[in-house]
PDB file of all heavy atoms in Angstrom:
ATOM      1  N   GLU Q  40      18.871   0.766  -4.819  1.00 93.00           N
ATOM      2  CA  GLU Q  40      20.319   0.651  -4.724  1.00 93.00           C
ATOM      3  C   GLU Q  40      20.763   1.028  -3.321  1.00 93.00           C
ATOM      4  O   GLU Q  40      20.035   1.697  -2.583  1.00 93.00           O
ATOM      5  CB  GLU Q  40      21.009   1.537  -5.756  1.00 93.00           C
ATOM      6  CG  GLU Q  40      20.738   3.012  -5.598  1.00 93.00           C
ATOM      7  CD  GLU Q  40      21.398   3.828  -6.718  1.00 93.00           C
ATOM      8  OE1 GLU Q  40      21.074   3.594  -7.895  1.00 93.00           O
ATOM      9  OE2 GLU Q  40      22.224   4.692  -6.400  1.00 93.00           O
ATOM     10  N   LEU Q  42      23.059   2.903  -0.563  1.00 86.00           N
ATOM     11  CA  LEU Q  42      23.738   4.178  -0.402  1.00 86.00           C
ATOM     12  C   LEU Q  42      24.513   4.120   0.915  1.00 86.00           C
ATOM     13  O   LEU Q  42      23.942   3.741   1.950  1.00 86.00           O
ATOM     14  CB  LEU Q  42      22.675   5.281  -0.337  1.00 86.00           C
ATOM     15  CG  LEU Q  42      23.116   6.725  -0.166  1.00 86.00           C
ATOM     16  CD1 LEU Q  42      23.630   7.276  -1.491  1.00 86.00           C
ATOM     17  CD2 LEU Q  42      21.936   7.574   0.323  1.00 86.00           C
ATOM     18  N   VAL Q  60      17.933   2.794  -1.084  1.00 90.00           N
ATOM     19  CA  VAL Q  60      17.151   3.948  -1.531  1.00 90.00           C
ATOM     20  C   VAL Q  60      16.746   3.778  -2.996  1.00 90.00           C
ATOM     21  O   VAL Q  60      17.232   2.872  -3.678  1.00 90.00           O
ATOM     22  CB  VAL Q  60      17.935   5.273  -1.365  1.00 90.00           C
ATOM     23  CG1 VAL Q  60      18.168   5.585   0.110  1.00 90.00           C
ATOM     24  CG2 VAL Q  60      19.258   5.227  -2.127  1.00 90.00           C
ATOM     25  N   LYS Q  61      15.870   4.642  -3.441  1.00 94.00           N
ATOM     26  CA  LYS Q  61      15.422   4.723  -4.841  1.00 94.00           C
ATOM     27  C   LYS Q  61      14.472   3.600  -5.251  1.00 94.00           C
ATOM     28  O   LYS Q  61      13.900   3.648  -6.332  1.00 94.00           O
ATOM     29  CB  LYS Q  61      16.612   4.752  -5.822  1.00 94.00           C
ATOM     30  CG  LYS Q  61      17.494   5.978  -5.667  1.00 94.00           C
ATOM     31  CD  LYS Q  61      18.464   6.069  -6.836  1.00 94.00           C
ATOM     32  CE  LYS Q  61      19.354   7.304  -6.699  1.00 94.00           C
ATOM     33  NZ  LYS Q  61      20.303   7.423  -7.806  1.00 94.00           N
ATOM     34  N   ASP Q 128      15.463   8.974   2.304  1.00 85.00           N
ATOM     35  CA  ASP Q 128      16.701   9.032   3.078  1.00 85.00           C
ATOM     36  C   ASP Q 128      16.576  10.103   4.154  1.00 85.00           C
ATOM     37  O   ASP Q 128      16.680  11.290   3.851  1.00 85.00           O
ATOM     38  CB  ASP Q 128      17.878   9.331   2.151  1.00 85.00           C
ATOM     39  CG  ASP Q 128      19.185   9.450   2.922  1.00 85.00           C
ATOM     40  OD1 ASP Q 128      19.192   9.131   4.135  1.00 85.00           O
ATOM     41  OD2 ASP Q 128      20.193   9.864   2.333  1.00 85.00           O
ATOM     42  N   ALA Q 131      19.514  12.806   4.647  1.00 69.00           N
ATOM     43  CA  ALA Q 131      19.832  13.855   3.680  1.00 69.00           C
ATOM     44  C   ALA Q 131      19.353  15.195   4.215  1.00 69.00           C
ATOM     45  O   ALA Q 131      18.294  15.296   4.822  1.00 69.00           O
ATOM     46  CB  ALA Q 131      19.167  13.553   2.345  1.00 69.00           C
ATOM     47  N   GLU Q 180      10.650  12.410  -1.883  1.00 92.00           N
ATOM     48  CA  GLU Q 180      11.614  11.965  -2.894  1.00 92.00           C
ATOM     49  C   GLU Q 180      12.717  12.988  -3.127  1.00 92.00           C
ATOM     50  O   GLU Q 180      13.787  12.629  -3.644  1.00 92.00           O
ATOM     51  CB  GLU Q 180      10.909  11.630  -4.221  1.00 92.00           C
ATOM     52  CG  GLU Q 180      10.264  12.815  -4.935  1.00 92.00           C
ATOM     53  CD  GLU Q 180       8.835  13.076  -4.478  1.00 92.00           C
ATOM     54  OE1 GLU Q 180       8.464  12.609  -3.384  1.00 92.00           O
ATOM     55  OE2 GLU Q 180       8.089  13.760  -5.214  1.00 92.00           O
ATOM     56  N   THR Q 181      12.504  14.230  -2.705  1.00 88.00           N
ATOM     57  CA  THR Q 181      13.554  15.244  -2.866  1.00 88.00           C
ATOM     58  C   THR Q 181      14.734  14.985  -1.922  1.00 88.00           C
ATOM     59  O   THR Q 181      15.745  15.666  -2.014  1.00 88.00           O
ATOM     60  CB  THR Q 181      12.987  16.651  -2.613  1.00 88.00           C
ATOM     61  OG1 THR Q 181      12.266  16.648  -1.372  1.00 88.00           O
ATOM     62  CG2 THR Q 181      12.046  17.071  -3.730  1.00 88.00           C
ATOM     63  N   SER Q 182      14.599  14.018  -1.014  1.00 86.00           N
ATOM     64  CA  SER Q 182      15.737  13.650  -0.156  1.00 86.00           C
ATOM     65  C   SER Q 182      16.766  12.820  -0.916  1.00 86.00           C
ATOM     66  O   SER Q 182      17.868  12.608  -0.413  1.00 86.00           O
ATOM     67  CB  SER Q 182      15.245  12.844   1.053  1.00 86.00           C
ATOM     68  OG  SER Q 182      14.777  11.567   0.658  1.00 86.00           O
ATOM     69  N   LEU Q 183      16.414  12.347  -2.105  1.00 89.00           N
ATOM     70  CA  LEU Q 183      17.287  11.423  -2.835  1.00 89.00           C
ATOM     71  C   LEU Q 183      17.925  12.084  -4.043  1.00 89.00           C
ATOM     72  O   LEU Q 183      17.254  12.835  -4.762  1.00 89.00           O
ATOM     73  CB  LEU Q 183      16.487  10.208  -3.309  1.00 89.00           C
ATOM     74  CG  LEU Q 183      15.787   9.397  -2.225  1.00 89.00           C
ATOM     75  CD1 LEU Q 183      14.953   8.292  -2.855  1.00 89.00           C
ATOM     76  CD2 LEU Q 183      16.804   8.812  -1.268  1.00 89.00           C
ATOM     77  N   PRO Q 184      19.210  11.796  -4.304  1.00 87.00           N
ATOM     78  CA  PRO Q 184      19.793  12.239  -5.571  1.00 87.00           C
ATOM     79  C   PRO Q 184      18.922  11.709  -6.703  1.00 87.00           C
ATOM     80  O   PRO Q 184      18.555  10.536  -6.686  1.00 87.00           O
ATOM     81  CB  PRO Q 184      21.176  11.575  -5.596  1.00 87.00           C
ATOM     82  CG  PRO Q 184      21.417  11.086  -4.210  1.00 87.00           C
ATOM     83  CD  PRO Q 184      20.092  10.909  -3.554  1.00 87.00           C
ATOM     84  N   GLY Q 185      18.572  12.580  -7.634  1.00 92.00           N
ATOM     85  CA  GLY Q 185      17.725  12.128  -8.737  1.00 92.00           C
ATOM     86  C   GLY Q 185      16.283  12.548  -8.575  1.00 92.00           C
ATOM     87  O   GLY Q 185      15.607  12.852  -9.553  1.00 92.00           O
ATOM     88  N   ALA Q 186      15.799  12.563  -7.323  1.00 92.00           N
ATOM     89  CA  ALA Q 186      14.404  12.958  -7.031  1.00 92.00           C
ATOM     90  C   ALA Q 186      13.422  12.296  -7.998  1.00 92.00           C
ATOM     91  O   ALA Q 186      13.364  11.079  -8.073  1.00 92.00           O
ATOM     92  CB  ALA Q 186      14.268  14.474  -7.023  1.00 92.00           C
ATOM     93  N   GLY Q 187      12.682  13.088  -8.777  1.00 94.00           N
ATOM     94  CA  GLY Q 187      11.642  12.536  -9.648  1.00 94.00           C
ATOM     95  C   GLY Q 187      12.176  11.620 -10.745  1.00 94.00           C
ATOM     96  O   GLY Q 187      11.484  10.695 -11.187  1.00 94.00           O
ATOM     97  N   GLN Q 188      13.391  11.875 -11.199  1.00 97.00           N
ATOM     98  CA  GLN Q 188      13.977  11.022 -12.246  1.00 97.00           C
ATOM     99  C   GLN Q 188      14.044   9.565 -11.800  1.00 97.00           C
ATOM    100  O   GLN Q 188      13.971   8.651 -12.620  1.00 97.00           O
ATOM    101  CB  GLN Q 188      15.378  11.540 -12.611  1.00 97.00           C
ATOM    102  CG  GLN Q 188      16.098  10.753 -13.713  1.00 97.00           C
ATOM    103  CD  GLN Q 188      15.377  10.782 -15.056  1.00 97.00           C
ATOM    104  OE1 GLN Q 188      14.828  11.808 -15.448  1.00 97.00           O
ATOM    105  NE2 GLN Q 188      15.360   9.649 -15.756  1.00 97.00           N
ATOM    106  N   ASN Q 189      14.172   9.343 -10.475  1.00 96.00           N
ATOM    107  CA  ASN Q 189      14.237   7.962  -9.978  1.00 96.00           C
ATOM    108  C   ASN Q 189      12.972   7.189 -10.317  1.00 96.00           C
ATOM    109  O   ASN Q 189      13.021   5.978 -10.542  1.00 96.00           O
ATOM    110  CB  ASN Q 189      14.440   7.951  -8.458  1.00 96.00           C
ATOM    111  CG  ASN Q 189      15.773   8.553  -8.053  1.00 96.00           C
ATOM    112  OD1 ASN Q 189      16.742   8.445  -8.792  1.00 96.00           O
ATOM    113  ND2 ASN Q 189      15.813   9.178  -6.885  1.00 96.00           N
TER     114      ASN Q 189
END
Side-chain angles (χ1 to χ4, degrees):
Chain Q
E40 62 183 60
L42 180 77
V60 294
K61 296 191 180 180
D128 178 9
E180 66 272 20
T181 50
S182 69
L183 302 176
Q188 181 62 39
N189 296 328

